[in-house]
Amino acid sequence: MAFEDVWKKISWLYYQYILVTALYMLEPWERAIFNSILISVAGMAVYTGYVFMPQHIMAILQYFEMVQ
Amino acid sequence: MYCYPEDKVQHTACNGSSGLGLYSRPFIESFEETPMLVAVLTYMGYGILTIFGYLRDFLRDWKIERCHVAREREEQRDFVPLYQDFENFYTRNLYMRIRDSWNRPICSVPGAKVDLVERVSPDYNWTFDYTGKVVEGVINMGSYNYLGFAENTGYCADASAEVTMKYGVGVASTRQEMGNLDRHEEMEELVAKFLGVESAMAFGMGFATNSMNIPALTGKGCLILSDELNHASLVLGARLSGSTIRVFKHNNMQSLEKMLRDAIVHGQPRTHRPWKKILILVEGIYSMEGSIVRLPEVIALKKRYRAYLYLDEAHSIGALGPGGRGVVDYFGLDPRDVDVMMGTFTKSFGAAGGYIGGRKELLEYLRSHSHSAVYAASMSPPVVEQIIASMKCIMGEDGTTLGRDRVQQLAENTLYFRRRLTEMGFIIYGNSDSPVVPMMLYMPAKIGAFGREMLKRNIGVVVVGFPATPIIESRARFCISAAHTKDMLDTALSVISEVGDLLQVKYSRHERLIYDQIQD
């Protein structure tokens, strides 16, 4: 029952995304191209953040002389 | 009654006269500003559509995809191109994708409820197939049926049927030759009496009334001051006349006064001779904004600076004023102050055609000098009879109070509908008394989505986008009718609220009434 509600909420959020970015008016294959480009760019950003975030945080803490 | 902080009850400061003297009732207009986030997202949406438009054009050009647009034949590829490809970019790539919201075929009389022919499209709106079914009882919020005279039963329809039996349908001539029936003369006298002018003349088409008569009134050496948002027929008539055209900001009396002063002081552009005449073109109700012209101020300006006034009452005749006599009646002014009163019979009278009313000398001149009078075929007898019957009904001359009841019903419906929509949180443009209600949608995908979702729930609406409106200000336009009962309006309002929540178009940033929040 809770899964149904969550599914409906996600489906409504996807509908809003489709309306705001005007993907609602495009054909399914065009939506697939746009979504894959968006997901790959977002995925690359998350991966880069995951790999480099510890080094960035250590560099900042060393700059502020909180840790050697 | 709702009151917004930025609403201005207009007090005029025209020529030092005390403002309150010109307006006998409050003039409440609101044009809420576009929220910044919504504007940015709308531009982003159009940007994405443009990129995909370029992609699709590339695919069509390289023959990877089938092209449905008009092209030259193979043998003529090297000639000067016949079809301008880039100009149709917007039509091909944006309009076509949501084209099923427009040109919907109707198969019954467009009254308060209408029947639509159902259609589906297998190839994304390039072609349509009819399923054979009819969608019945769709509540009609799009027809210009302000007083509910678009009906196929009743006194007006019976009168038209009788006249068809007597005179036939076609007239087979122009007004000047053999097409001037006695019904035409009676109709013109009735129109003159209705408007309160000396004389009137009717033409077969409202658009042609404007575009063919303005050239007869002005010519080279005259100045036309036209409102920013005037209808295409007025713009075409002004351009065809060959006069100098200057545009003043929409409904802005300071801009109009400045232009009048400049025109009189400086005269014609190079020779500085005085202008032969100055004509101000305004409309009664502007149908895309729902705003009403500030007529008392325009008339005061016109009298002071000795200009002529051409008032196009296409949407306001029959719909405004305690007696249904239009915007002049609404403000309580004298019809003799307006030099040329033009209007159409399409909207409130359920017929077709246009009229011009004014002084007797003006109309005698137009009868012989207007292109439309000399060359166009005259109006068909059943249409003329519908005009006569509906006008008598509104004036009360047929012995019933039906006309007066309808005018009152329209005013009540308008106030109720506008109040409820603003309480729900939509951005509504225009004057609080105008029966044309534009509701802002802004984003391109929501234009198509709104039209389709409303049709799924059995309500027919008109949605408008570029180029009829500025590119980010697309809207849905509701036209209230006296034929709508309160139940129909309530059904329509609850559906609009539901679709508004689904699409998230309740953009207004004014406080909503607590009553509405409890109901949610």
Side-chain angles (χ1 to χ4, degrees), chain B residues 173-177 201-205 207-219 236-242 310 356 362-378:
Chain B
S173 183
T174 65
R175 283 298 287 278
Q176 274 203 346
E177 295 169 9
M201 181 174 177
F203 305 91
M205 191 175 149
F207 190 99
T209 311
N210 272 334
S211 45
M212 298 292 122
N213 285 309
I214 297 179
L217 294 174
T218 59
L236 183 62
R239 286 185 190 166
L240 278 177
S241 69
Y310 185 105
I356 287 199
L362 171 71
L363 267 299
E364 293 300 319
Y365 176 80
L366 275 182
R367 267 180 237 278
S368 43
H369 287 87
S370 156
H371 296 289
S372 189
V374 177
Y375 296 111
S378 33

Side-chain angles (χ1 to χ4, degrees), chain B residues 75-321:
Chain B
E75 307 88 67
Q76 296 173 322
R77 287 299 290 284
D78 293 325
F79 291 8
V80 173
L82 195 58
Y83 303 107
Q84 298 283 38
D85 271 345
F86 192 70
E87 275 180 14
N88 293 329
F89 181 84
Y90 177 82
T91 313
R92 269 200 310 275
N93 295 310
L94 274 80
Y95 175 73
M96 279 294 172
R97 295 185 192 268
I98 45 174
R99 191 162 77 121
D100 57 314
S101 300
W102 293 287
N103 290 337
R104 291 180 182 150
I106 295 179
C107 55
S108 79
V109 70
K113 292 206 176 178
V114 71
D115 298 338
L116 295 180
V117 181
E118 204 182 356
R119 50 183 192 168
V120 291
S121 174
D123 53 357
Y124 298 101
N125 293 344
W126 287 99
T127 57
F128 288 105
D129 292 327
Y130 296 105
T131 60
K133 282 193 286 198
V134 167
V135 183
E136 300 199 352
V138 173
I139 297 182
N140 186 1
M141 304 295 298
S143 290
Y144 304 132
N145 185 16
Y146 299 129
L147 291 178
F149 279 111
E151 50 195 6
N152 53 359
T153 53
Y155 167 65
C156 303
D158 292 337
S160 310
E162 260 183 59
V163 155
T164 316
M165 292 297 144
K166 186 172 172 208
Y167 290 91
V169 176
V171 186
S173 183
T174 65
R175 283 298 287 278
Q176 274 203 346
E177 295 169 9
M178 282 280 278
N180 196 11
L181 308 176
D182 55 348
R183 308 307 290 156
H184 289 124
E185 299 282 327
E186 190 181 326
M187 173 189 59
E188 288 178 355
E189 269 173 48
L190 195 62
V191 169
K193 192 166 153 212
F194 181 76
L195 296 171
V197 291
E198 286 176 26
S199 174
M201 181 174 177
F203 305 91
M205 191 175 149
F207 190 99
T209 311
N210 272 334
S211 45
M212 298 292 122
N213 285 309
I214 297 179
L217 294 174
T218 59
K220 280 183 103 113
C222 304
L223 176 66
I224 291 186
L225 294 174
S226 141
D227 190 292
E228 208 178 6
L229 299 177
N230 267 338
H231 190 249
S233 54
L234 289 165
V235 172
L236 183 62
R239 286 185 190 166
L240 278 177
S241 69
S243 324
T244 314
I245 307 175
R246 296 203 181 140
V247 172
F248 63 92
K249 294 201 178 46
H250 175 60
N251 233 0
N252 187 334
M253 296 299 118
Q254 287 80 23
S255 170
L256 177 59
E257 184 168 13
K258 182 169 187 307
M259 285 204 174
L260 276 166
R261 291 175 84 102
D262 282 343
I264 293 180
V265 165
H266 297 292
Q268 299 191 24
R270 268 166 294 130
T271 56
H272 293 291
R273 285 199 215 140
W275 294 101
K276 286 199 205 145
K277 54 175 101 104
I278 302 182
L279 184 67
I280 306 177
L281 292 184
V282 286
E283 289 189 38
I285 291 184
Y286 292 90
S287 64
M288 278 302 149
E289 307 283 310
S291 53
I292 300 183
V293 67
R294 294 176 195 279
L295 198 59
E297 293 178 59
V298 174
I299 289 189
L301 279 175
K302 161 200 115 97
K303 282 184 181 162
R304 175 137 198 251
Y305 294 103
R306 310 269 179 93
Y308 295 104
L309 180 59
Y310 185 105
L311 178 65
D312 177 348
E313 288 203 86
H315 285 270
S316 53
I317 191 76
L320 282 184

Side-chain angles (χ1 to χ4, degrees), chain A:
Chain A
M1 197 57 202
F3 185 68
E4 293 262 346
D5 291 334
V6 170
W7 181 248
K8 270 199 200 147
K9 184 88 178 147
I10 293 181
S11 162
W12 183 82
L13 279 171
Y14 180 66
Y15 188 65
Q16 296 307 310
Y17 158 75
I18 290 260
L19 280 176
V20 167
T21 54
L23 291 182
Y24 177 89
M25 293 162 69
L26 299 178
E27 296 175 23
W29 61 271
E30 289 166 331
R31 283 188 203 175
I33 293 181
F34 185 86
N35 285 336
S36 32
I37 293 178
L38 187 68
I39 290 179
S40 45
V41 168
M44 285 190 275
V46 167
Y47 177 72
T48 313
Y50 174 74
V51 165
F52 287 105
M53 202 49 85
Q55 295 176 334
H56 285 316
I57 294 180
M58 287 307 287
I60 293 172
L61 289 178
Q62 279 175 357
Y63 180 75
F64 284 117
E65 288 163 18
M66 294 164 89
V67 73
Q68 295 313 103

Side-chain angles (χ1 to χ4, degrees), chain B residues 351-396:
Chain B
Y355 65 84
I356 287 199
R359 297 181 60 209
K360 199 151 167 305
E361 294 85 16
L362 171 71
L363 267 299
E364 293 300 319
Y365 176 80
L366 275 182
R367 267 180 237 278
S368 43
H369 287 87
S370 156
H371 296 289
S372 189
V374 177
Y375 296 111
S378 33
M379 289 169 83
S380 177
V383 172
V384 173
E385 194 60 30
Q386 163 79 18
I387 297 169
I388 294 178
S390 57
M391 223 174 240
K392 281 192 178 151
C393 186
I394 298 176
M395 292 202 285

Side-chain angles (χ1 to χ4, degrees), chain B residues 486-497:
Chain B
K486 193 154 182 299
D487 291 329
M488 282 189 222
L489 286 184
D490 284 333
T491 323
L493 282 163
S494 64
V495 167
I496 293 172
S497 185

